[in-house]
Amino acid sequence: MDVAIPQGSADALTIAVEQLVRHVRLSATTGGLSSAASFVLSRLAREGPQRLTELARAEGVSQPNMSQLVNRLERGDLVRRTADHSDGRGVLVEVTDTGVEVFLRRRAERALALQQLIDELTEQEQHAVAVALPALARVIEDRRPPRS
Amino acid sequence: MDVAIPQGSADALTIAVEQLVRHVRLSATTGGLSSAASFVLSRLAREGPQRLTELARAEGVSQPNMSQLVNRLERGDLVRRTADHSDGRGVLVEVTDTGVEVFLRRRAERALALQQLIDELTEQEQHAVAVALPALARVIEDRRPPRS
DNA sequence: GCTTATGCATAGGTGCATTATGGACTTCCG
DNA sequence: CGGAAGTCCATAATGCACCTATGCATAAGC
């Protein structure tokens, strides 16, 4: 069975990405805030209260999933459900002060962990990372156009 | 609430990483082989049959988790449990032909998806990605030293 | 005002992770 | 040799993150 991986190939990069993904997910446990939860808090902090369905679409997950996620966040006093006065069906999700605080702390922790990784790279590699990661994030963002 | 992100900072890179993580996880569903499963198949294909505990340690997950994961893989005919004749307690996990095939197909799919992202980058950014991702994978690998 | 569409919650299922626990086997040592 | 200790693995119970299917409530259309 030939599973060898040519250096620098798309396969090699794929494996590197998966390694990175796994590392982030495993180290994410510390701090008690999952990746999904962090994304939601980040969005709410950036853009203010939002409709639940809006959140689900923006995060690319199903509406029931977002309902559950908001439930968990609500249990931890990180977000709050409020009524939408302009639409009796709607629910506005709003980040709490605690939520902002926890989110910022977690983001700092993650940044520190990433920095520790980056510190072990050569200078050239560090520069490559500073270019590559935002570039990838950019095309990922562009790829999910707001299907309003 | 100030959640602004300075360009190029560790925070910005952290967010880029999380974007990448989310993208991979969302696109991972297609193909029916999770990240964890893929890692195990990859290792078994590369290194041959291994002890369950060995796998768990190598992948950095708990032993019960690996038990369950092997159960699921076994259900899908992707791996096989065999007895370790030199140790009655042990279980050797072995990838099946189907497992290798499925794994290779999935890896090709992921590589294609990544390639599509990379194709949208500038040439300079592409070069940065080719340097940065393997470098990060390397330091992540180094960071999990074999605590025998 | 009735029908249709939308927003959300709930139920039920899967996968991935954890800790706690127990059974089977090996190993070590007296 | 035989009992104690350690190792390997499985199971149980729990939590999060995802899904589809379904149903209720409200809004919007005719």
Side-chain angles (χ1 to χ4, degrees):
Chain A
M1 40 189 127
D2 182 9
V3 293
I5 303 150
Q7 257 303 59
S9 69
D11 270 350
L13 295 183
T14 303
I15 292 178
V17 166
E18 300 205 345
Q19 193 99 30
L20 184 58
V21 167
R22 185 176 60 168
H23 177 261
V24 168
R25 282 191 59 78
L26 289 183
S27 61
T29 316
T30 63
L33 201 53
S34 73
S35 206
S38 179
F39 269 112
V40 171
L41 288 185
S42 172
R43 183 173 298 273
L44 290 176
R46 261 184 294 118
E47 306 181 4
Q50 288 186 36
R51 296 288 291 269
L52 198 143
T53 300
E54 194 69 25
L55 269 180
R57 249 187 323 177
E59 296 294 327
V61 301
S62 67
Q63 170 265 311
N65 186 2
M66 186 54 67
S67 266
Q68 287 191 336
L69 180 50
V70 168
N71 283 344
R72 284 191 294 269
L73 290 172
E74 208 172 20
R75 244 185 288 149
D77 267 331
L78 303 180
V79 304
R80 192 185 305 125
R81 275 184 170 89
T82 61
D84 184 346
H85 297 300
S86 70
D87 188 339
R89 303 165 298 180
V91 166
L92 282 176
V93 184
E94 187 179 2
V95 65
T96 64
D97 290 350
T98 306
V100 173
E101 184 195 330
V102 167
F103 163 65
L104 289 177
R105 191 172 55 224
R106 193 204 93 117
R107 197 168 73 180
E109 284 171 1
R110 291 234 182 165
L112 178 62
L114 180 59
Q115 191 59 54
Q116 286 174 349
L117 280 185
I118 291 176
D119 285 347
E120 294 183 29
L121 299 175
T122 68
E123 204 164 327
Q124 189 187 0
E125 288 166 347
Q126 290 181 10
H127 188 256
V129 167
V131 171
L133 293 184
L136 285 174
R138 189 193 71 224
V139 297
I140 288 170
E141 193 69 29
D142 290 352
R143 178 157 291 240
R144 195 202 320 271
R147 59 257 198 253
S148 65
Chain B
M1 38 188 130
D2 182 9
V3 292
I5 304 147
Q7 257 301 58
S9 68
D11 270 350
L13 295 184
T14 303
I15 292 179
V17 166
E18 300 203 345
Q19 193 98 30
L20 186 57
V21 167
R22 185 175 58 169
H23 177 261
V24 169
R25 284 194 57 78
L26 290 184
S27 61
T29 316
T30 63
L33 200 53
S34 75
S35 204
S38 180
F39 269 110
V40 171
L41 288 185
S42 172
R43 182 173 299 273
L44 290 177
R46 261 185 293 119
E47 307 180 4
Q50 287 187 38
R51 297 289 290 269
L52 198 142
T53 301
E54 193 69 25
L55 269 179
R57 249 186 324 178
E59 296 293 329
V61 302
S62 66
Q63 170 266 310
N65 186 0
M66 187 53 69
S67 267
Q68 287 191 336
L69 182 48
V70 169
N71 283 343
R72 285 189 295 268
L73 290 172
E74 210 172 19
R75 241 185 291 150
D77 267 330
L78 303 180
V79 305
R80 193 185 304 126
R81 275 183 170 89
T82 62
D84 183 347
H85 297 298
S86 71
D87 188 338
R89 304 165 297 180
V91 167
L92 282 178
V93 184
E94 186 180 3
V95 65
T96 64
D97 290 349
T98 305
V100 172
E101 184 194 330
V102 168
F103 163 65
L104 288 178
R105 192 172 53 221
R106 192 202 95 118
R107 196 169 74 180
E109 284 171 358
R110 292 239 180 163
L112 179 62
L114 179 59
Q115 192 59 55
Q116 286 174 349
L117 280 185
I118 291 176
D119 285 346
E120 295 183 26
L121 299 175
T122 69
E123 205 164 327
Q124 189 188 359
E125 288 166 347
Q126 290 181 9
H127 188 254
V129 167
V131 172
L133 292 184
L136 284 174
R138 190 193 71 225
V139 298
I140 289 171
E141 193 70 27
D142 289 351
R143 177 157 292 237
R144 196 202 324 270
R147 59 262 196 248
S148 65

